[in-house]
Amino acid sequence: MTHTQAQQRIAELTELIDRYNYEYYMNDRSLVSDFEFDALLRELIDLEQAFPDLSLPTSPTRRVGGEVNKTFRQVEHRFPMLSLGNTYSIAEIEDFESRTRKLLDGTPFTYTCELKYDGVAIGLTYRHGELVQAVTRGNGMVGDDITSNVRTIPTVPLRLKGDYPDDFEVRGEVVYPFEAFEAMNRLREAEGDEPFANPRNAASGSLKLQNSAECAKRRLLFCAYFMMFPDGTPIMGTPFATHFGRLEAAKEMGFKVQPYIKECKDINDIRFFIDFWDKERWNLPFGIDGVVIKVNQTDLWDRLGTTAKSPRWAIAYKFKAEQVSTPLLSVTYQVGRTGIVTPVANMQPVWLGGTMVRRATLNNADFMAKLDLHEDDSLLVEKGGEIIPKIVGVDLSQRNPQAQPINYVSACPVCGTPLVRSEGEAGFYCPNQDGCLPQLLGHLEHFVSRKAMNIESLGCERLRLLYDAGLVRNVADLYYLHRNQLIGLGTDTTASIQEKGAENILRAIEDSKQVPFERVLFALGIRYVGEVGAKKLVRYFGNIDALMDATVMELAMVEDVGEVTAMAVYDYFANPDHRTLISRLREAGVQMQAVDNRVSNRLEGMTFVVSGVFDHFSREEIKASIEQHGGKAGGSISSKTTYLLAGAKMGPEKLRKAQQLGVPILTEAEYLQLIGQ
Ligand code: IVH
């Protein structure tokens, strides 16, 4: 294909794909099958790869993501990103309305009422119809440049349609629709990641992902709610003269503008809108936490002005969390995979915020004690902007004076072992790590998870099958399974294992013997030892024998390993069952030693303290690099420190200390020279 032909075909494909995307995401209409769509996209990706000069930043292929940001560049907002005055009180909305009317002194005007989206605010800059920058709110003056992630959000147009000003900014909220949020959290749990607490946190976390291809998978939604122009843009006599007109215009340009916006003439209209959405909000596919009321005529905004923090021409009404009282039926206890025992209140089913609520967590022993729960109590349950109902108190007016208090259990509800509590923790846990079924299964699940040993063909159902068949009682047993023990397991379940499945499982187990020691250590599931902690321990001790022989003091010497973790590691290896487990794993061929990845001895005998942000390395990488060249990376500056390795935005405290002790400062470029790169 010639360059000209490619150019023409790219233009055709871009137009088609843009149109299909638009119809799909804006109008919920599929014009082609997924298969056809994927084929067109593939063709475009291939063409852009073959002719890189024809790959535009507005191409629909950019939605797939792939750009990686180590840190996000800070940029100053052209127009400060103000927040809104907000209130939970209708009386204050009435005050706002009458104050505004008084200030405008007879000038005719209207209001717009719209939803207050519960997500993350961003600002999008468009020049000549193309998205050039997306920035978070930050502190209102300076935010993070998250353009590559925002490009992957299907409802953010990369190229505008129809008429648009040459240069302007659109603001709106990135929200995580409930359905996509729950699907993502289920996936996270299956992969052994901590689920997000609520859609807002999840949206915020997604926008800060380093790899935009990951962000593309998150199915975020952008809701536009504001448009602003630099001085000199013609406004009066155009649709931009009203806020309502601006949002209509935004829709024409290709933005997703939620249809729930109303022009209101007085306080009665406003009240009606608020009451309506207070009840109706639970039927929306995404979260809102209130309603925003703005003066519609934009020329009046200047007349009304702004206070230090927020404009006088707008206000937010925030919904109160909905609350109900419902009788407690029983308290049951769940044993988690780490052994934490969580009390759960089972309640008379009650309708709350659009769903039937039957159960809610009582969090832990302290929370239960604070509630001073009694039998037959009625609980006050609340649902705010989030999906999960929360117990906020006991309805004391309903308490039966004869009722007995309910106490937190003292023994594990599954295995009967007396519960223990670590100092400073709010909850109790079952210490029977290796014999209590939920913990054992939890251990196995954690061990096989992607970030640990990555034995993907063993999901939780199959692990349960292996347990029920008496084949696996601990993680080492996995390495002694035979093909014929597996075939035919669980014939009547979806997790059943046939010949092919057995082979896949055994191959994955075999492959896991190559997993590096630091991940093996993480996979063991020692309390408080996460991915980072495992890495640091391995870097310090090098092999399992040194680690098993370490004293608590020695363990606590490792950077970021506190006393509590040191104790947990020590206790783990003090248990003879765990020592047996380790030898069986070792015999099976599982890695128990850090690979020696020393590249040179150039930094032998030198100790570095690292501070700030680097261009070529993450903080972890630069420390790893120091060690690969024989140096040591220390935590705090002392007279023994050879160099302070300083990146951008280094901590002022470190700088001062280095100067005080006369420790020389090394830049990243100088460091690269030092290691001969
Ligand atoms: S208008 C200058 N409209 O609520 C006025 N804000 O403090 C610009 N928000 O951080 C804001 N939905 O992120 C506006 N329909 C809506 C909104 C909305 C949510 C957020 C916004 C801001 C906060 C208000």
Side-chain angles (χ1 to χ4, degrees), residues 560-572:
D560 289 346
V561 172
E563 216 171 289
V564 177
T565 312
M567 278 295 283
V569 175
Y570 181 83
D571 287 346
Y572 182 90

Side-chain angles (χ1 to χ4, degrees), residues 411-482:
C412 173
V414 177
C415 69
T417 307
L419 300 181
V420 294
R421 178 182 202 152
S422 302
E423 210 177 309
E425 285 195 8
F428 284 81
Y429 69 92
C430 166
N432 183 15
Q433 282 185 34
D434 306 316
C436 179
L437 185 62
Q439 295 193 65
L440 210 156
L441 288 173
H443 260 134
L444 291 168
E445 270 172 48
H446 170 71
F447 187 81
V448 300
S449 66
R450 194 172 39 85
K451 289 186 177 163
M453 303 303 279
N454 192 24
I455 308 177
E456 280 203 42
S457 38
L458 280 179
C460 43
E461 286 175 59
R462 283 186 161 170
L463 288 170
R464 180 72 203 231
L465 282 181
L466 295 176
Y467 176 85
D468 287 344
L471 295 172
V472 172
R473 285 288 179 272
N474 59 46
V475 298
D477 291 340
L478 291 172
Y479 292 88
Y480 296 89
L481 289 170
H482 294 297

